[in-house]
Structures are given as C-alpha cells and as structure tokens.
Amino acid sequence: MTSAARAPARPLALFDIDGTLLVAGDPDHIPCLEEALSEVFDRPVTLDGVPLGGNQELAIAREAARRAGVGDDEIDALLPEVMTELGRRFLERVGDRRHRLLPGAPAAVAALAGAGWDLGLLSGGARAVSLAKMRAAGLADHFPFGAFGDDHEDRAALVPVALSAGTAHHGGHHSPDRTVLVGDTPRDVDAALRAGCGVVAVATGRFGVAELAGHGAQVVLADLSDAAEVVAACAAALPRPAA
Ligand SMILES: [Mg+2]
C-alpha cells in the first residue's frame, strides 16, 4: 500500500442553506413551489401546515399535493415536472440575496477553505433553487458540488450523494467519518448522526442552542460570526480527526 492510499481523506464540510448561511424564509421560494404545484396538478396547492424547516423539497411537494387530494401515482409521475417548473420560476424571480446572508457566513466559509477544508452543500431545497440562492448571495464559488432536496426525500440519504459528488469533483475521496454537516435544524443533526458524519449545529434558524444540543448535536454555535470558532468547531466535530 502506498502512503497516498493510506492518506486520510481531506475534511469536508457540507452546509445547509436556509437558516444556516441565509436567513430562512426566502421571499420567492415558497410562492414559486406553490405556483409550480398548482400548475402541474391543475388545482390550488398550498404549503399551509406542511413542515418546512430541514425538510426536503420533494417531501414537501409530496405532502402538499397529498393534502390537496392528489393520488400517490399521479404525484410520483409528476414530481419531476414540479421540480423543473419550480426551478424555472425561481430563476426568473430571484434577485440579490447578499442582504439575507447570516452574520459571519461568508468569512466563516472562506476561513474553512483557507484551513484546508473542502466545501459542499447539503440542502433540502431543490438543486436549481439552492444553486441560484448561492449565486445571488455571492457564495457559489465556494460550493462546487452538493446534494439537494430533489435528489432524495430523506435527508440522511443526501449524505452519500454529496460524498460521491465531492469525490467526483476533487478526484479524491470523501468519507462520512471525515465529514461534518453544518445546519440549523434537528433534521440536520439527525441526518448527520444516521450517516455517520459529525455535526455542527447553528442556532440561527428556528431552534435554540439547548434544543439543538438536546437532539444530539455534538457542537452547537450561536451563529457563524466568529470564523476561527467555526473552524475549531468543525475540527472538533469530525468523527475521525487528522492523523
Ligand atoms: Mg436549514
């Protein structure tokens, strides 16, 4: 075995978007999804009462369609069309999102990259919407790959998708025990733990520090405002530290 083959994978941080990098509640996201659902299923569909925080776009769309009386077969057949229509509408409407960046997010992301971390996205939002938000916030260059809410309805199942995308992008190898999820909801924490990753929870969404810690987050930050603290927190949360 060569030393290169034994070299530990570079550490990877996978960032959630809404409530973690950007203020949750994008003004165009929900309206675009409701419009896409209503058009494709040819009836009024709303997201009223559907759990959103930390949930996957596919799962949100399925639940909203069910509540509007659409059958599962029709949902299965037409969800891809809903995602396409959602992306088309959001790209038409999205403007500058830099004012929605959470405190310290750009500096924290840059500090991680500077400290030798690879960076990707693990977002419940659909791919087209998530990438558009990052472009509009000026962060797209930091996140060359990711896994998204139209890849799978289960958040934990997004982790191997993101690891494969990262491995393909970097030509190296990413593994769960050298990966940390950064997110703002118990669903992020649960996904990380089920996938064998570390987790850094941030209390910039709807959940407080104690609540996130109570769900099993090993490291919880009030926010991303101290870049050095974010780098240290991610290193502390890695299941397998550097040799
Ligand atoms: Mg979130």
Side-chain angles (χ1 to χ4, degrees):
M1 186 181 277
T2 66
S3 59
R6 287 195 300 271
R10 276 166 62 89
L12 171 65
L14 295 172
F15 275 79
D16 169 60
I17 296 177
D18 294 321
T20 300
L21 294 170
L22 298 177
V23 177
D26 184 280
D28 293 315
H29 191 166
I30 287 174
C32 285
L33 180 55
E34 289 180 329
E35 291 168 20
L37 284 160
S38 299
E39 177 171 312
V40 171
F41 292 115
D42 197 23
R43 71 188 76 187
V45 182
T46 77
L47 300 192
D48 292 348
V50 179
L52 301 178
N55 204 357
Q56 280 50 256
E57 195 99 52
L58 280 178
I60 292 167
R62 177 181 297 282
E63 180 61 22
R66 274 184 182 151
R67 289 176 186 223
V70 184
D72 277 335
D73 288 348
E74 188 178 358
I75 293 173
D76 286 337
L78 294 179
L79 270 189
E81 193 176 325
V82 172
M83 294 297 115
T84 300
E85 187 62 24
L86 162 65
R88 188 186 69 75
R89 287 173 182 271
F90 191 79
L91 288 175
E92 275 181 4
R93 213 175 300 184
V94 63
D96 198 316
R97 287 296 189 266
R98 285 172 292 186
H99 64 288
R100 298 188 63 85
L101 282 161
L102 282 160
V109 165
L112 276 168
W117 286 70
D118 290 333
L119 301 174
L121 295 170
L122 195 136
S123 166
R127 177 181 299 265
V129 172
S130 298
L131 295 178
K133 285 180 183 174
M134 289 293 91
R135 283 195 299 274
L139 288 181
D141 288 349
H142 282 297
F143 298 106
F145 65 90
F148 303 93
D150 46 354
D151 287 324
H152 205 287
E153 293 183 35
D154 176 6
R155 201 170 189 86
L158 296 182
V159 173
V161 176
L163 295 181
S164 294
T167 295
H169 177 80
H170 291 291
H173 175 67
H174 289 299
S175 61
D177 63 358
R178 295 283 292 156
T179 297
V180 170
L181 267 58
V182 185
D184 70 299
T185 70
R187 289 176 193 260
D188 297 274
V189 176
D190 173 69
L193 298 180
R194 282 197 286 139
C197 301
V199 59
V200 171
V202 286
T204 42
R206 289 191 301 112
F207 300 91
V209 169
E211 200 169 358
L212 291 164
H215 278 89
Q218 300 118 327
V219 183
V220 187
L221 301 176
D223 56 37
L224 300 176
S225 61
D226 184 336
E229 182 185 46
V230 173
V231 174
C234 286
L238 266 181
R240 182 165 60 96

